[in-house]
Short mmCIF file of all heavy atoms in Angstrom, two decimals:
data_model
loop_
_atom_site.label_atom_id
_atom_site.label_comp_id
_atom_site.label_asym_id
_atom_site.label_seq_id
_atom_site.Cartn_x
_atom_site.Cartn_y
_atom_site.Cartn_z
N THR A 269 -89.87 -35.04 191.11
CA THR A 269 -89.95 -36.07 190.07
C THR A 269 -88.59 -36.58 189.60
O THR A 269 -88.51 -37.63 188.99
CB THR A 269 -90.70 -35.54 188.83
OG1 THR A 269 -89.93 -34.47 188.24
CG2 THR A 269 -92.09 -35.05 189.20
N SER A 270 -87.54 -35.81 189.83
CA SER A 270 -86.19 -36.14 189.35
C SER A 270 -86.13 -36.26 187.83
O SER A 270 -85.22 -36.88 187.30
CB SER A 270 -85.66 -37.42 190.00
OG SER A 270 -85.58 -37.27 191.39
N TYR A 271 -87.08 -35.65 187.14
CA TYR A 271 -87.05 -35.70 185.67
C TYR A 271 -86.19 -34.55 185.16
O TYR A 271 -86.44 -33.38 185.44
CB TYR A 271 -88.46 -35.60 185.08
CG TYR A 271 -88.46 -35.69 183.58
CD1 TYR A 271 -88.03 -36.85 182.93
CD2 TYR A 271 -88.84 -34.61 182.80
CE1 TYR A 271 -88.00 -36.93 181.55
CE2 TYR A 271 -88.82 -34.68 181.42
CZ TYR A 271 -88.40 -35.83 180.79
OH TYR A 271 -88.36 -35.91 179.42
N ALA A 272 -85.15 -34.91 184.40
CA ALA A 272 -84.25 -33.92 183.82
C ALA A 272 -84.07 -34.14 182.33
O ALA A 272 -83.05 -33.76 181.76
CB ALA A 272 -82.90 -33.97 184.55
N ALA A 273 -85.04 -34.81 181.69
CA ALA A 273 -84.99 -35.11 180.26
C ALA A 273 -83.72 -35.91 179.96
O ALA A 273 -83.51 -36.96 180.55
CB ALA A 273 -85.13 -33.85 179.42
N ASP A 274 -82.83 -35.37 179.09
CA ASP A 274 -81.62 -36.11 178.71
C ASP A 274 -80.44 -35.87 179.64
O ASP A 274 -79.40 -36.51 179.48
CB ASP A 274 -81.21 -35.74 177.28
CG ASP A 274 -82.27 -36.15 176.27
OD1 ASP A 274 -82.77 -37.28 176.35
OD2 ASP A 274 -82.60 -35.31 175.40
N GLY A 275 -80.57 -34.95 180.59
CA GLY A 275 -79.45 -34.71 181.48
C GLY A 275 -79.66 -33.55 182.42
O GLY A 275 -80.40 -32.61 182.11
N LEU A 276 -79.01 -33.63 183.55
CA LEU A 276 -79.10 -32.60 184.57
C LEU A 276 -77.89 -31.67 184.48
O LEU A 276 -76.75 -32.11 184.44
CB LEU A 276 -79.14 -33.24 185.96
CG LEU A 276 -79.17 -32.29 187.16
CD1 LEU A 276 -80.42 -31.41 187.12
CD2 LEU A 276 -79.11 -33.09 188.46
N TRP A 277 -78.19 -30.37 184.47
CA TRP A 277 -77.18 -29.31 184.51
C TRP A 277 -77.41 -28.64 185.86
O TRP A 277 -78.37 -27.92 186.05
CB TRP A 277 -77.40 -28.39 183.33
CG TRP A 277 -76.60 -27.14 183.25
CD1 TRP A 277 -75.51 -26.77 183.98
CD2 TRP A 277 -76.84 -26.06 182.33
NE1 TRP A 277 -75.07 -25.53 183.59
CE2 TRP A 277 -75.86 -25.08 182.58
CE3 TRP A 277 -77.79 -25.83 181.34
CZ2 TRP A 277 -75.81 -23.89 181.85
CZ3 TRP A 277 -77.74 -24.65 180.63
CH2 TRP A 277 -76.75 -23.70 180.87
N ILE A 278 -76.53 -28.89 186.80
CA ILE A 278 -76.73 -28.47 188.18
C ILE A 278 -75.84 -27.28 188.54
O ILE A 278 -74.65 -27.27 188.21
CB ILE A 278 -76.50 -29.64 189.17
CG1 ILE A 278 -76.97 -29.31 190.58
CG2 ILE A 278 -75.07 -30.13 189.15
CD1 ILE A 278 -78.45 -29.32 190.75
N ALA A 279 -76.41 -26.30 189.21
CA ALA A 279 -75.65 -25.16 189.71
C ALA A 279 -75.40 -25.36 191.20
O ALA A 279 -76.33 -25.51 191.98
CB ALA A 279 -76.40 -23.86 189.48
N ASP A 280 -74.13 -25.42 191.57
CA ASP A 280 -73.73 -25.53 192.97
C ASP A 280 -72.32 -24.95 193.05
O ASP A 280 -71.39 -25.50 192.46
CB ASP A 280 -73.75 -27.00 193.41
CG ASP A 280 -73.50 -27.17 194.91
OD1 ASP A 280 -73.73 -26.21 195.68
OD2 ASP A 280 -73.08 -28.27 195.30
N TYR A 281 -72.18 -23.83 193.74
CA TYR A 281 -70.93 -23.09 193.72
C TYR A 281 -69.92 -23.67 194.71
O TYR A 281 -69.71 -23.16 195.81
CB TYR A 281 -71.19 -21.60 193.95
CG TYR A 281 -72.01 -20.98 192.83
CD1 TYR A 281 -72.51 -19.71 192.94
CD2 TYR A 281 -72.28 -21.67 191.65
CE1 TYR A 281 -73.25 -19.12 191.92
CE2 TYR A 281 -73.02 -21.11 190.63
CZ TYR A 281 -73.49 -19.84 190.77
OH TYR A 281 -74.23 -19.26 189.74
N VAL A 282 -69.33 -24.77 194.24
CA VAL A 282 -68.28 -25.49 194.96
C VAL A 282 -67.22 -25.88 193.94
O VAL A 282 -67.28 -25.45 192.80
CB VAL A 282 -68.84 -26.75 195.68
CG1 VAL A 282 -69.80 -26.34 196.80
CG2 VAL A 282 -69.54 -27.69 194.71
N SER A 283 -66.26 -26.70 194.32
CA SER A 283 -65.20 -27.11 193.40
C SER A 283 -65.78 -27.67 192.11
O SER A 283 -66.71 -28.49 192.15
CB SER A 283 -64.30 -28.18 194.04
OG SER A 283 -63.66 -27.65 195.17
N ALA A 284 -65.20 -27.27 190.99
CA ALA A 284 -65.67 -27.71 189.67
C ALA A 284 -65.71 -29.23 189.59
O ALA A 284 -64.73 -29.91 189.90
CB ALA A 284 -64.77 -27.14 188.58
N GLY A 285 -66.85 -29.75 189.17
CA GLY A 285 -67.01 -31.18 188.99
C GLY A 285 -67.40 -31.94 190.24
O GLY A 285 -67.45 -33.17 190.24
N HIS A 286 -67.71 -31.22 191.33
CA HIS A 286 -68.06 -31.87 192.59
C HIS A 286 -69.34 -31.28 193.20
O HIS A 286 -69.34 -30.88 194.37
CB HIS A 286 -66.90 -31.75 193.59
CG HIS A 286 -65.65 -32.39 193.10
ND1 HIS A 286 -65.46 -33.75 193.11
CD2 HIS A 286 -64.54 -31.86 192.55
CE1 HIS A 286 -64.27 -34.03 192.60
NE2 HIS A 286 -63.70 -32.90 192.24
N PRO A 287 -70.45 -31.25 192.42
CA PRO A 287 -71.68 -30.72 193.00
C PRO A 287 -72.15 -31.62 194.15
O PRO A 287 -71.94 -32.83 194.11
CB PRO A 287 -72.67 -30.74 191.84
CG PRO A 287 -72.17 -31.82 190.93
CD PRO A 287 -70.66 -31.78 191.07
N ARG A 288 -72.77 -31.01 195.12
CA ARG A 288 -73.20 -31.74 196.32
C ARG A 288 -74.60 -32.34 196.13
O ARG A 288 -75.54 -31.98 196.81
CB ARG A 288 -73.15 -30.82 197.53
CG ARG A 288 -71.74 -30.34 197.85
CD ARG A 288 -71.74 -29.21 198.84
NE ARG A 288 -72.42 -28.06 198.23
CZ ARG A 288 -72.89 -27.01 198.90
NH1 ARG A 288 -72.76 -26.96 200.22
NH2 ARG A 288 -73.47 -26.01 198.28
N ILE A 289 -74.68 -33.26 195.18
CA ILE A 289 -75.92 -34.01 194.93
C ILE A 289 -75.54 -35.46 194.67
O ILE A 289 -74.39 -35.76 194.33
CB ILE A 289 -76.72 -33.45 193.73
CG1 ILE A 289 -75.89 -33.52 192.44
CG2 ILE A 289 -77.21 -32.03 194.02
CD1 ILE A 289 -76.67 -33.23 191.19
N LYS A 290 -76.51 -36.36 194.83
CA LYS A 290 -76.27 -37.77 194.56
C LYS A 290 -76.66 -38.16 193.14
O LYS A 290 -76.23 -39.18 192.64
CB LYS A 290 -77.03 -38.64 195.57
CG LYS A 290 -76.48 -38.50 196.97
CD LYS A 290 -77.23 -39.36 197.95
CE LYS A 290 -76.65 -39.14 199.35
NZ LYS A 290 -77.43 -39.81 200.37
N ALA A 291 -77.49 -37.37 192.49
CA ALA A 291 -77.97 -37.67 191.14
C ALA A 291 -76.85 -37.57 190.11
O ALA A 291 -75.91 -36.79 190.27
CB ALA A 291 -79.10 -36.71 190.77
N ALA A 292 -76.99 -38.35 189.05
CA ALA A 292 -76.05 -38.24 187.93
C ALA A 292 -76.28 -36.88 187.26
O ALA A 292 -77.41 -36.42 187.14
CB ALA A 292 -76.31 -39.36 186.93
N TRP A 293 -75.22 -36.25 186.85
CA TRP A 293 -75.31 -34.95 186.21
C TRP A 293 -74.43 -34.94 184.96
O TRP A 293 -73.46 -35.68 184.87
CB TRP A 293 -74.89 -33.82 187.17
CG TRP A 293 -73.52 -34.03 187.77
CD1 TRP A 293 -73.22 -34.74 188.90
CD2 TRP A 293 -72.29 -33.55 187.25
NE1 TRP A 293 -71.87 -34.73 189.11
CE2 TRP A 293 -71.27 -34.01 188.11
CE3 TRP A 293 -71.94 -32.79 186.15
CZ2 TRP A 293 -69.92 -33.74 187.89
CZ3 TRP A 293 -70.59 -32.51 185.93
CH2 TRP A 293 -69.60 -32.98 186.80
N ARG A 294 -74.76 -34.07 184.02
CA ARG A 294 -73.99 -33.91 182.79
C ARG A 294 -73.13 -32.65 182.84
O ARG A 294 -72.01 -32.65 182.35
CB ARG A 294 -74.92 -33.81 181.57
CG ARG A 294 -75.61 -35.10 181.21
CD ARG A 294 -74.63 -36.02 180.55
NE ARG A 294 -75.28 -37.25 180.12
CZ ARG A 294 -74.63 -38.20 179.49
NH1 ARG A 294 -73.36 -38.07 179.21
NH2 ARG A 294 -75.25 -39.29 179.13
N ILE A 295 -73.69 -31.57 183.41
CA ILE A 295 -72.98 -30.28 183.45
C ILE A 295 -73.10 -29.71 184.86
O ILE A 295 -74.15 -29.83 185.50
CB ILE A 295 -73.56 -29.30 182.41
CG1 ILE A 295 -73.41 -29.90 181.00
CG2 ILE A 295 -72.89 -27.93 182.49
CD1 ILE A 295 -74.09 -29.12 179.90
N HIS A 296 -72.02 -29.10 185.32
CA HIS A 296 -71.99 -28.48 186.65
C HIS A 296 -71.56 -27.03 186.51
O HIS A 296 -70.44 -26.74 186.09
CB HIS A 296 -70.99 -29.24 187.55
CG HIS A 296 -70.78 -28.59 188.88
ND1 HIS A 296 -69.58 -28.69 189.56
CD2 HIS A 296 -71.58 -27.83 189.66
CE1 HIS A 296 -69.66 -28.02 190.69
NE2 HIS A 296 -70.86 -27.49 190.78
N GLN A 297 -72.45 -26.11 186.87
CA GLN A 297 -72.10 -24.69 186.96
C GLN A 297 -71.53 -24.48 188.35
O GLN A 297 -72.22 -24.69 189.35
CB GLN A 297 -73.33 -23.81 186.75
CG GLN A 297 -73.01 -22.32 186.79
CD GLN A 297 -74.28 -21.50 186.73
OE1 GLN A 297 -74.89 -21.23 187.75
NE2 GLN A 297 -74.69 -21.14 185.52
N TYR A 298 -70.26 -24.07 188.42
CA TYR A 298 -69.59 -24.01 189.72
C TYR A 298 -69.27 -22.59 190.19
O TYR A 298 -68.84 -22.41 191.33
CB TYR A 298 -68.32 -24.86 189.70
CG TYR A 298 -67.29 -24.42 188.69
CD1 TYR A 298 -66.28 -23.52 189.04
CD2 TYR A 298 -67.31 -24.90 187.38
CE1 TYR A 298 -65.34 -23.11 188.12
CE2 TYR A 298 -66.37 -24.49 186.46
CZ TYR A 298 -65.39 -23.60 186.83
OH TYR A 298 -64.45 -23.19 185.91
N THR A 299 -69.48 -21.59 189.35
CA THR A 299 -69.28 -20.21 189.78
C THR A 299 -70.02 -19.27 188.84
O THR A 299 -70.36 -19.65 187.71
CB THR A 299 -67.78 -19.82 189.81
OG1 THR A 299 -67.64 -18.52 190.38
CG2 THR A 299 -67.15 -19.83 188.44
N ASP A 300 -70.26 -18.05 189.31
CA ASP A 300 -70.84 -17.03 188.44
C ASP A 300 -69.94 -15.80 188.36
O ASP A 300 -70.37 -14.73 187.96
CB ASP A 300 -72.24 -16.63 188.92
CG ASP A 300 -72.25 -16.01 190.30
OD1 ASP A 300 -71.18 -15.90 190.95
OD2 ASP A 300 -73.34 -15.62 190.75
N SER A 301 -68.67 -16.00 188.71
CA SER A 301 -67.74 -14.88 188.73
C SER A 301 -66.48 -15.21 187.92
O SER A 301 -65.85 -16.23 188.18
CB SER A 301 -67.36 -14.56 190.17
OG SER A 301 -66.46 -13.50 190.24
N PRO A 302 -66.09 -14.45 186.94
CA PRO A 302 -66.71 -13.21 186.47
C PRO A 302 -67.92 -13.45 185.57
O PRO A 302 -68.63 -12.53 185.24
CB PRO A 302 -65.58 -12.53 185.70
CG PRO A 302 -64.77 -13.67 185.16
CD PRO A 302 -64.85 -14.75 186.20
N LEU A 303 -68.14 -14.69 185.14
CA LEU A 303 -69.36 -15.06 184.46
C LEU A 303 -69.66 -16.51 184.82
O LEU A 303 -68.87 -17.15 185.51
CB LEU A 303 -69.27 -14.85 182.94
CG LEU A 303 -68.37 -15.75 182.13
CD1 LEU A 303 -68.87 -15.78 180.70
CD2 LEU A 303 -66.95 -15.21 182.13
N ASP A 304 -70.80 -17.03 184.37
CA ASP A 304 -71.19 -18.39 184.72
C ASP A 304 -70.24 -19.39 184.05
O ASP A 304 -70.17 -19.46 182.82
CB ASP A 304 -72.62 -18.67 184.26
CG ASP A 304 -73.65 -17.86 185.02
OD1 ASP A 304 -73.32 -17.29 186.08
OD2 ASP A 304 -74.80 -17.80 184.54
N LYS A 305 -69.52 -20.14 184.88
CA LYS A 305 -68.58 -21.14 184.37
C LYS A 305 -69.08 -22.53 184.70
O LYS A 305 -69.64 -22.77 185.77
CB LYS A 305 -67.19 -20.93 184.97
CG LYS A 305 -66.52 -19.64 184.54
CD LYS A 305 -65.14 -19.54 185.10
CE LYS A 305 -64.47 -18.24 184.69
NZ LYS A 305 -63.10 -18.16 185.24
N ASP A 306 -68.84 -23.45 183.77
CA ASP A 306 -69.35 -24.81 183.88
C ASP A 306 -68.27 -25.82 183.50
O ASP A 306 -67.33 -25.50 182.77
CB ASP A 306 -70.52 -25.00 182.91
CG ASP A 306 -71.60 -23.95 183.06
OD1 ASP A 306 -72.47 -24.15 183.90
OD2 ASP A 306 -71.57 -22.94 182.32
N VAL A 307 -68.48 -27.05 183.97
CA VAL A 307 -67.73 -28.20 183.47
C VAL A 307 -68.74 -29.23 183.02
O VAL A 307 -69.86 -29.29 183.53
CB VAL A 307 -66.76 -28.81 184.53
CG1 VAL A 307 -65.62 -27.85 184.83
CG2 VAL A 307 -67.49 -29.19 185.80
N ALA A 308 -68.36 -30.05 182.05
CA ALA A 308 -69.23 -31.11 181.55
C ALA A 308 -68.56 -32.45 181.79
O ALA A 308 -67.35 -32.59 181.62
CB ALA A 308 -69.51 -30.92 180.06
N ASN A 309 -69.36 -33.41 182.20
CA ASN A 309 -68.87 -34.74 182.55
C ASN A 309 -68.79 -35.62 181.31
O ASN A 309 -69.57 -36.55 181.13
CB ASN A 309 -69.79 -35.35 183.61
CG ASN A 309 -69.17 -36.54 184.29
OD1 ASN A 309 -68.01 -36.84 184.11
ND2 ASN A 309 -69.97 -37.24 185.07
N PHE A 310 -67.83 -35.30 180.44
CA PHE A 310 -67.56 -36.06 179.23
C PHE A 310 -66.05 -36.23 179.12
O PHE A 310 -65.29 -35.36 179.56
CB PHE A 310 -68.09 -35.33 177.98
CG PHE A 310 -69.58 -35.31 177.90
CD1 PHE A 310 -70.32 -34.30 178.49
CD2 PHE A 310 -70.27 -36.33 177.24
CE1 PHE A 310 -71.70 -34.29 178.44
CE2 PHE A 310 -71.66 -36.32 177.17
CZ PHE A 310 -72.37 -35.30 177.77
N THR A 311 -65.62 -37.31 178.49
CA THR A 311 -64.19 -37.61 178.39
C THR A 311 -63.48 -36.73 177.38
O THR A 311 -62.26 -36.52 177.48
CB THR A 311 -63.96 -39.09 178.01
OG1 THR A 311 -64.68 -39.36 176.80
CG2 THR A 311 -64.45 -40.00 179.12
N SER A 312 -64.22 -36.21 176.39
CA SER A 312 -63.61 -35.37 175.36
C SER A 312 -64.67 -34.53 174.68
O SER A 312 -65.87 -34.81 174.80
CB SER A 312 -62.92 -36.25 174.30
OG SER A 312 -63.90 -37.01 173.60
N LYS A 313 -64.22 -33.52 173.93
CA LYS A 313 -65.17 -32.70 173.17
C LYS A 313 -65.85 -33.57 172.12
O LYS A 313 -67.04 -33.41 171.84
CB LYS A 313 -64.48 -31.50 172.53
CG LYS A 313 -65.48 -30.50 171.98
CD LYS A 313 -64.91 -29.36 171.16
CE LYS A 313 -63.82 -28.60 171.81
NZ LYS A 313 -63.43 -27.41 171.03
N ALA A 314 -65.10 -34.51 171.55
CA ALA A 314 -65.69 -35.43 170.56
C ALA A 314 -66.82 -36.24 171.19
O ALA A 314 -67.85 -36.47 170.56
CB ALA A 314 -64.62 -36.35 169.98
N ALA A 315 -66.64 -36.69 172.43
CA ALA A 315 -67.69 -37.45 173.11
C ALA A 315 -68.92 -36.58 173.35
O ALA A 315 -70.05 -37.05 173.19
CB ALA A 315 -67.16 -38.01 174.43
#
Side-chain angles (χ1 to χ4, degrees):
T269 65
S270 299
Y271 181 64
D274 297 314
L276 177 61
W277 173 12
I278 191 75
D280 187 23
Y281 296 170
V282 293
S283 297
H286 300 283
R288 297 167 296 163
I289 60 169
K290 292 181 182 173
W293 55 274
R294 289 285 183 179
I295 300 173
H296 173 210
Q297 181 186 87
Y298 61 92
T299 187
D300 62 358
S301 180
L303 70 155
D304 293 344
K305 293 183 181 181
D306 307 274
V307 292
N309 195 9
F310 290 89
T311 56
S312 66
K313 192 187 308 187

